[in-house]
Amino acid sequence: MLNILLFGPPGSGKGTQSKRLIQHYNLNHLSTGDILRKEIAEQTPLGRIAQHYIDKGELVPDEVVISMIEELFEDKAIKGFVFDGFPRTVPQAKALDNMLLGRNKTICIMVVLEVDKEELIKRLLNRASIEGRKDDELHIIENRIKVYQNQTAPVLDYYLKQGKAFKVNGMQTEDEVFKDVCYNIDNFSKCL
Ligand code: AMP
């Protein structure tokens, strides 16, 4: 199984690059943000809990997110995942490692998309005008970046210590970023 963790702040291009990666390597896309937005659209009990946090740019509690993804590993036909927006805290990373370990699998590589704060804000405001996502309003964007720095950035150290994290300049063109991401996967993945 090729399990790729695509990591970076909101607006760093994880969604865009994930779509290309799943085609290139024939993998499944696992975006907790997409799953939560679907739950909200369907007005499920989980969606109602999630909306409360997403609207403020805060993280949905770990236990909610972890229990939500566990069942996705049961499909034996899946060749691997591109994890996009998960794990977002160290407890989530530890839970993911344990879930994979229990199935004799692992995270093969983490690729980190590095983008300046000014550029992130510019991209997210632009996305707001195209997609109309409610959490792409300026004050919520600023909170999401703060939450990333405080709660999510430590996940990078967690995987650096495992020797699995590799950084890519996310300020380049979409094609250049994709090329660099693939280069890292092809050369440094622990699973190939
Ligand atoms: P995203 O589409 O990945 O930017 O996620 C949008 C929002 O969904 C985030 O700002 C969080 O409120 C919530 N969310 C998505 N993934 C997670 C996660 N792994 N843990 C906690 N909250 C999450």
Side-chain angles (χ1 to χ4, degrees), residues 10-158:
S12 57
K14 299 189 296 294
T16 306
Q17 296 294 331
S18 292
K19 289 197 187 91
R20 296 182 66 161
L21 287 174
I22 56 167
Q23 288 204 336
H24 189 76
Y25 292 100
N26 193 17
L27 304 172
N28 279 50
H29 187 195
L30 199 160
S31 156
T32 41
D34 284 352
I35 299 172
L36 292 167
R37 277 185 289 278
K38 187 162 171 277
E39 296 281 342
I40 291 173
E42 291 169 0
Q43 299 192 339
T44 64
L46 173 61
R48 274 192 284 277
I49 297 172
Q51 180 145 37
H52 173 77
Y53 296 94
I54 292 182
D55 283 354
K56 291 190 289 195
E58 299 290 337
L59 294 184
V60 175
D62 286 338
E63 59 277 13
V64 175
V65 179
I66 292 165
S67 65
M68 189 175 87
I69 70 146
E70 205 148 19
E71 66 196 58
L72 301 174
F73 294 112
E74 300 312 326
D75 186 346
K76 300 278 181 291
I78 290 176
K79 290 189 174 161
F81 289 97
V82 175
F83 292 91
D84 163 7
F86 177 85
R88 257 181 160 94
T89 62
V90 172
Q92 287 182 20
K94 288 184 177 164
L96 176 62
D97 272 0
N98 285 333
M99 276 186 256
L100 290 172
L101 196 68
R103 292 165 176 83
N104 233 347
K105 311 272 187 292
T106 188
I107 288 295
C108 307
I109 187 164
M110 169 196 255
V111 183
V112 186
L113 303 178
E114 293 192 304
V115 176
D116 291 352
K117 187 176 170 187
E118 293 69 35
E119 175 68 16
L120 295 174
I121 293 175
K122 204 172 89 189
R123 287 185 190 179
L124 291 170
L125 288 175
N126 185 44
R127 184 170 78 184
S129 67
I130 299 166
E131 293 178 17
R133 254 177 69 168
K134 259 173 76 185
D135 59 345
D136 282 342
E137 249 173 70
L138 184 58
H139 73 283
I140 303 174
I141 290 172
E142 282 178 337
N143 192 40
R144 285 164 63 203
I145 294 174
K146 206 167 74 195
V147 165
Y148 173 82
Q149 285 160 349
N150 294 338
Q151 299 182 54
T152 304
V155 176
L156 171 57
D157 291 331
Y158 178 82

